[in-house]
Amino acid sequence: MTELFYRLAGRIIRVIGPKNRMDCNDSALRMYAVNPSPWDITLEFAIVPRLSNADGELVYSEQTKKIYVSGDTSVRYEGTVSDSLDGAYIRIARKGNYSHVQIREDSIRESITARLVLNAMEAEHIIATNRGILLHASYIRYGSKAILFTAPSGTGKSTQAELWCRYRGAELINGDRSAIMVTERGIQAMGVPFSGSSGVCKDQTLPLAAIVYLNQNPVTEIQPLMGVNAFRRIWEGCSINVWNREDVTLSTDTVSAIVENIPVFFLACTPDESAVVALENALNMI
């Protein structure tokens, strides 16, 4: 068997798979590899001719995904077709901190790739159970702190990050997602191995200075968000297993803690330096 170790949002994940069939160096996941060490979570992979049947009650269903729950075990299928499990290529049975992952043999060419490993990790759940959220956001380093830009797809998260890099010498850490963790050292932004189209997903952890919700506008305007308005804008960008009540409850508490401790801004802006100036001025007033 092959044994690999990765770090995700403060947790060590042990990945076990068939010898000579694990190829996880084809994506950003390799940047999160760590030396063998005590682990928090285990994923054990098996390549099988046919996925095992579903167990338990169907609790979530969409066109290509189905999730069943039986006692304290959840079973997720990906690649399903309509109301059946036909076409499913992966089955993840998770109980506590152990997941047994079946990959249908005719769905892979030779090896289990990083994409499949990341899929099986269920990052949203790992992060939620460690007092964090996974947020769709562009993450930049400015000075010694993190700023996160969040908004619906196509609104300009990447553009704002690029403007800060161009005009203020900021560094892009992740162009698509970030983990926000409530830790003993305060609320921190952490890199995750998901980069979207940016291709940038560095493994950096920084104190979080602000979260900025973006909207396109002919004139640049900025205002602080408080209470439920701040909560709603952050929640909008969270990746959460909505079928898992524990994850939803934990994520609700985490977002509440973030709102209470981190400035949240609504920035309606044009894609130019005026947006940078407006946010910079607002941060200087904190």
Side-chain angles (χ1 to χ4, degrees), residues 33-177:
V34 295
N35 293 326
S37 56
W39 60 88
D40 304 294
I41 295 161
T42 295
L43 275 68
E44 184 169 0
F45 284 80
I47 299 173
V48 298
R50 183 175 180 274
L51 301 183
S52 298
N53 292 330
D55 296 317
E57 175 189 0
L58 180 65
V59 297
Y60 183 84
S61 178
E62 59 182 47
Q63 187 66 27
T64 61
K65 179 189 298 185
K66 295 199 170 22
I67 299 168
Y68 296 81
V69 171
S70 176
D72 55 0
T73 300
S74 67
V75 181
R76 173 164 60 96
Y77 293 83
E78 296 276 2
T80 58
V81 178
S82 189
D83 292 329
S84 76
L85 298 179
D86 293 344
Y89 62 89
I90 187 171
R91 179 186 190 269
I92 304 110
R94 174 171 51 80
K95 181 178 181 179
N97 290 325
Y98 172 80
S99 293
H100 186 263
V101 186
Q102 294 179 346
I103 306 291
R104 205 181 71 223
E105 188 165 20
D106 62 2
S107 70
I108 61 174
R109 292 184 177 179
E110 294 182 0
S111 303
I112 295 171
T113 63
R115 182 183 67 83
L116 291 170
V117 172
L118 286 168
N119 190 347
M121 275 186 186
E122 299 183 299
E124 298 92 338
H125 174 72
I126 292 174
I127 292 168
T129 55
N130 198 27
R131 297 201 70 194
I133 57 169
L134 182 61
L135 185 71
H136 282 277
S138 287
Y139 166 13
I140 63 168
R141 176 179 187 143
Y142 180 57
S144 60
K145 293 189 176 182
I147 300 174
L148 304 182
F149 297 98
T150 185
S153 296
T155 305
K157 298 186 295 295
S158 297
T159 298
Q160 287 302 314
E162 290 168 3
L163 289 171
W164 274 80
C165 293
R166 182 190 312 164
Y167 292 113
R168 295 298 184 272
E171 178 187 3
L172 181 64
I173 305 301
N174 194 305
D176 187 61
R177 298 189 200 182

Side-chain angles (χ1 to χ4, degrees), residues 213-261:
Y213 185 91
L214 299 171
N215 189 34
Q216 295 177 352
N217 202 52
V219 178
T220 295
E221 301 174 337
I222 190 168
Q223 63 183 48
L225 295 175
M226 304 292 183
V228 67
N229 289 325
F231 183 100
R232 182 166 60 91
R233 294 304 190 183
I234 296 173
W235 188 265
E236 182 181 316
C238 290
S239 296
I240 299 171
N241 292 330
V242 294
W243 56 271
N244 187 316
R245 292 181 181 178
E246 179 188 7
D247 283 9
V248 172
T249 298
L250 290 170
S251 298
T252 300
D253 293 343
T254 298
V255 174
S256 295
I258 293 168
V259 167
E260 290 171 4
N261 292 280

Side-chain angles (χ1 to χ4, degrees), residues 146-211:
I147 300 174
L148 304 182
F149 297 98
T150 185
S153 296
T155 305
K157 298 186 295 295
S158 297
T159 298
Q160 287 302 314
E162 290 168 3
L163 289 171
W164 274 80
C165 293
R166 182 190 312 164
Y167 292 113
R168 295 298 184 272
E171 178 187 3
L172 181 64
I173 305 301
N174 194 305
D176 187 61
R177 298 189 200 182
S178 168
I180 306 177
M181 312 301 296
V182 180
T183 75
E184 294 179 353
R185 298 185 300 278
I187 296 176
Q188 299 184 317
M190 292 188 179
V192 292
F194 308 95
S195 61
S197 60
S198 74
V200 179
C201 51
K202 300 174 184 177
D203 182 15
Q204 282 199 27
T205 299
L206 296 168
L208 181 56
I211 300 170

